[in-house]
Amino acid sequence: ALAMAATPTMAEYVRVDAAGSVTEAADRLVAAVEGAGATVFARVPHSKGAMSVNMELQDAELIIFGNPQLGTPALQQDIRAGLVLPLRVLVHDEGGQTVLTYESVDAMFEGMEIAPDAAFRGKMAGALANLTAAAAAE
């Protein structure tokens, strides 16, 4: 896992290099999420937003998705889980390399009243790993 600075605490981020363009990897991620029976709630095209105000930004798109069967138990344990759920993956260009980045499940729930051994934690971590792996391949 790659550790990067976040405000106000340190968050742990997972980086997955992907084939193809940002749009292609984001499309594959959406297809993998939907194929797994989860819901894509939003695609946030950060770079297009920057273009709309005549600013430059490397290609970047945030995919927000989830499954209430996994998320609801987390929210039941600590409603503040709603600050980090649904799950999010940033698909972005990093010096010509398409990258998928997401926050680890342990980091997301740090400081919350969520049992460390809750079954949904492992399922969320597995889903993030499997979906980003599927999105990374051509």
Side-chain angles (χ1 to χ4, degrees):
L2 176 68
M4 302 171 78
T7 306
T9 61
M10 292 296 285
E12 183 180 329
Y13 294 100
V14 178
R15 172 197 166 108
V16 178
D17 289 346
S21 70
V22 168
T23 300
E24 291 166 342
D27 288 346
R28 289 191 303 267
L29 179 58
V30 167
V33 167
E34 291 173 342
T39 301
V40 174
F41 296 109
R43 289 181 74 156
V44 181
H46 289 304
S47 47
K48 289 181 183 172
M51 286 176 22
S52 75
V53 292
N54 297 318
M55 296 178 76
E56 290 185 25
L57 183 66
Q58 78 260 27
D59 202 7
E61 187 169 350
L62 182 68
I63 310 298
I64 302 170
F65 61 93
N67 179 336
Q69 290 181 322
L70 293 180
T72 302
L75 292 160
Q76 288 172 330
Q77 286 191 19
D78 190 328
I79 195 64
R80 295 176 297 167
L83 293 167
V84 295
L85 294 176
L87 299 172
R88 297 161 174 79
V89 174
L90 180 66
V91 186
H92 57 101
D93 177 84
E94 192 171 284
Q97 172 64 57
T98 298
V99 177
L100 296 102
T101 303
Y102 62 90
E103 189 173 17
S104 73
V105 171
D106 288 341
M108 282 191 310
F109 294 141
E110 187 175 330
M112 293 186 195
E113 300 295 322
I114 294 182
D117 61 348
F120 60 80
R121 290 175 80 120
K123 290 178 182 177
M124 284 180 185
L128 283 164
N130 292 336
L131 294 170
T132 55
E138 280 191 274

